[in-house]
Amino acid sequence: MTQKDNEKHFKEKIKAIQDTMFVLGGKWKLPVILSIYSGNKRFNDIAGSIPGITNRVLSKELKHLEENLLIRRDVINDYPVRIEYTITDYCLTTEEVAAPLEKWGKTHRKKLHGKL
Amino acid sequence: MTQKDNEKHFKEKIKAIQDTMFVLGGKWKLPVILSIYSGNKRFNDIAGSIPGITNRVLSKELKHLEENLLIRRDVINDYPVRIEYTITDYCLTTEEVAAPLEKWGKTHRKKLHGKL
DNA sequence: GATACCTGTATCCAAAAGGATACTTAATCC
DNA sequence: GGATTAAGTATCCTTTTGGATACAGGTATC
């Protein structure tokens, strides 16, 4: 492999990571997915399950996740009109990302402060 | 397992992910690690290898990574005084996070726009 | 028609992240 | 003492992300 090939691969690697960070990065996106995955379907339930999130932020994150085909928003027409969020099949692939992040976060905490 | 246990686990999961995001998240941290890992040791080499990064941002990221025990900064005393950045052994564990992020980013790009 | 319930949006603001670019410092060579 | 080279800082700015809080809009019940 030439030097140029190496550089090309390196830059593609960077781009792929930055893409993932755009879609799943930030403080809230994976927590929102996990919350829905673990059974919360409705806006206020999701909001209540994630410590510190506000309405405005949750609303934005839900839209972002819907645009990226990770969740679905269904309107249920009984009283009162309910909205149900569910994760898509595709969303299950994010587990490949979430699990390593969770694991690394736990070991890093130990590494830095001993155990807490 | 009780409902309370479930909630506790859920919140710990969230916290672990948010911790990782703090240390490795954002646009530049993993790219900087990868650059050093792939052989760049000096400030200007690292800067040159990562498209779009600026001096100021790189400087901040290097400090952040050093504080988190992921890279080491060595002063080499010949002329002109050189600084060498190297990744620590501990840093190798970030591959467990970087590889899935890279993989997911690539498949997601296909999912969204067909292949590009 | 007042009330209550639910899903958000509107408005305004604060903090963090990222960016452009000039400059400093320090050594050594000539 | 002027030129060169390297690492990073200083300054100022823009963009993105996150946060607090009020309340709109629709419907059904009382």
Side-chain angles (χ1 to χ4, degrees):
Chain A
M1 203 184 274
T2 70
Q3 178 59 19
K4 269 216 167 141
D5 283 340
N6 261 324
E7 268 174 39
K8 203 179 140 213
H9 279 132
F10 176 67
K11 303 214 197 255
E12 273 169 16
K13 221 173 194 174
I14 290 180
K15 203 154 70 64
I17 289 175
Q18 290 181 338
D19 284 350
T20 305
M21 282 298 178
F22 176 73
V23 178
L24 299 178
K27 201 170 167 186
W28 302 114
K29 289 178 193 75
L30 283 170
V32 169
I33 289 174
L34 282 178
S35 171
I36 299 175
Y37 180 65
S38 79
N40 298 299
K41 291 173 178 301
R42 306 178 57 183
F43 193 90
N44 284 333
D45 292 342
I46 301 166
S49 73
I50 303 174
I53 202 167
T54 64
N55 279 2
R56 181 177 169 282
V57 170
L58 177 55
S59 175
K60 282 197 170 187
E61 299 294 44
L62 288 169
K63 263 176 202 149
H64 174 95
L65 294 174
E66 201 189 352
E67 277 161 15
N68 281 280
L69 312 179
L70 295 166
I71 62 174
R72 212 179 51 231
R73 179 184 187 276
D74 293 313
V75 181
I76 311 286
N77 261 320
D78 50 67
Y79 167 71
V81 171
R82 255 180 311 145
I83 310 291
E84 284 194 359
Y85 292 96
T86 43
I87 63 172
T88 61
D89 285 346
Y90 174 54
C91 185
L92 295 173
T93 65
T94 62
E95 179 66 11
E96 291 166 24
V97 170
L101 287 174
E102 182 193 346
K103 189 175 164 224
W104 198 89
K106 281 179 176 164
T107 59
H108 187 65
R109 169 172 297 269
K110 283 184 204 141
K111 173 84 179 175
L112 241 55
H113 327 286
K115 30 209 113 155
L116 265 187
Chain B
M1 200 186 275
T2 69
Q3 177 59 16
K4 268 214 167 144
D5 284 341
N6 261 325
E7 269 175 37
K8 203 179 141 214
H9 280 131
F10 177 65
K11 303 214 196 258
E12 273 169 16
K13 221 171 194 175
I14 291 181
K15 203 153 70 62
I17 288 176
Q18 290 181 337
D19 284 350
T20 304
M21 282 298 177
F22 177 73
V23 179
L24 299 178
K27 201 168 165 186
W28 302 114
K29 290 178 192 79
L30 283 169
V32 169
I33 289 174
L34 282 178
S35 172
I36 299 175
Y37 180 65
S38 78
N40 298 301
K41 291 173 178 302
R42 304 176 58 182
F43 191 91
N44 285 332
D45 293 342
I46 300 167
S49 73
I50 302 175
I53 201 167
T54 64
N55 280 0
R56 181 178 169 283
V57 170
L58 178 55
S59 175
K60 282 196 170 188
E61 299 294 45
L62 288 169
K63 263 175 202 149
H64 173 95
L65 294 173
E66 200 189 352
E67 278 162 14
N68 282 278
L69 312 178
L70 295 165
I71 63 174
R72 212 178 51 232
R73 180 185 186 274
D74 293 314
V75 181
I76 312 285
N77 261 320
D78 50 68
Y79 167 72
V81 171
R82 256 181 310 145
I83 310 292
E84 284 194 0
Y85 291 96
T86 43
I87 63 172
T88 60
D89 286 346
Y90 174 54
C91 185
L92 295 174
T93 64
T94 62
E95 179 67 9
E96 292 165 25
V97 170
L101 287 173
E102 182 194 345
K103 191 177 162 222
W104 198 89
K106 281 178 177 164
T107 59
H108 187 65
R109 168 172 298 270
K110 283 182 205 144
K111 172 86 179 174
L112 241 55
H113 327 287
K115 26 209 116 159
L116 265 188

